[in-house]
């Protein structure tokens, strides 16, 4: 039985619902990149890695905005690295 809550595969979901999920999928993919490397990443590294891993072109501005918003969420899963502009890591990972 497939997971009815899986937001990674939304091929069966109507477009009007899917459009609202794009931001959730975007964040999930960024978290996946940070899980792969288990270290801090710059906006440039995330931008290049995102394209190479997922084949989806996202501008540096889109990546930067998403990282910024993810780091300022109520319960953030990522944080910005203190003293390093445009560098992020997963919360709980070593600096």
């Amino acid at each position: 039985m497939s997971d009815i809550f899986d937001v990674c595969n939304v091929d069966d979901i109507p477009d009007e619902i899917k459009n609202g999920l794009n931001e959730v999928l975007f964040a999930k993919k960024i978290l996946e990149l940070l899980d792969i490397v288990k270290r801090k990443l710059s906006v440039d590294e995330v931008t290049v890695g995102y394209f190479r891993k997922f084949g989806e072109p996202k501008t540096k501005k889109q990546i930067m905005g998403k990282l910024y918003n993810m780091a300022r969420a109520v319960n953030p899963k990522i944080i910005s690295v203190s003293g390093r502009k445009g560098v992020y890591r997963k919360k709980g990972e070593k600096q």
Side-chain angles (χ1 to χ4, degrees):
M1 182 173 161
S2 65
D3 181 358
I4 64 170
F5 302 103
D6 181 12
V7 295
C8 290
N9 182 6
V10 291
D11 294 337
D12 61 325
I13 304 296
D15 286 340
E16 59 271 11
I17 297 172
K18 226 186 294 193
N19 291 336
L21 296 174
N22 286 339
E23 289 302 306
V24 173
L25 294 172
F26 189 13
K28 189 169 183 161
K29 289 176 180 179
I30 288 174
L31 288 172
E32 186 177 330
L33 292 175
L34 289 166
D35 280 337
I36 290 168
V37 296
K38 299 194 183 324
R39 65 173 175 87
K40 54 192 168 210
L41 289 175
S42 70
V43 173
D44 290 339
E45 289 174 314
V46 175
T47 303
V48 170
Y50 194 94
F51 179 75
R52 287 182 176 157
K53 172 76 174 151
F54 303 109
E56 298 172 25
K58 295 283 186 186
T59 65
K60 182 176 177 177
K61 186 176 180 179
Q62 288 174 305
I63 297 285
M64 187 172 18
K66 190 61 179 171
L67 287 166
Y68 179 85
N69 289 334
M70 289 172 68
R72 273 136 193 85
V74 175
N75 292 313
K77 294 186 177 169
I78 68 168
I79 58 173
S80 60
V81 175
S82 180
R84 303 273 319 267
K85 187 175 180 181
V87 177
Y88 295 85
R89 65 179 174 86
K90 283 198 74 175
K91 190 174 181 179
E93 294 251 332
K94 294 180 183 178
Q95 295 218 10

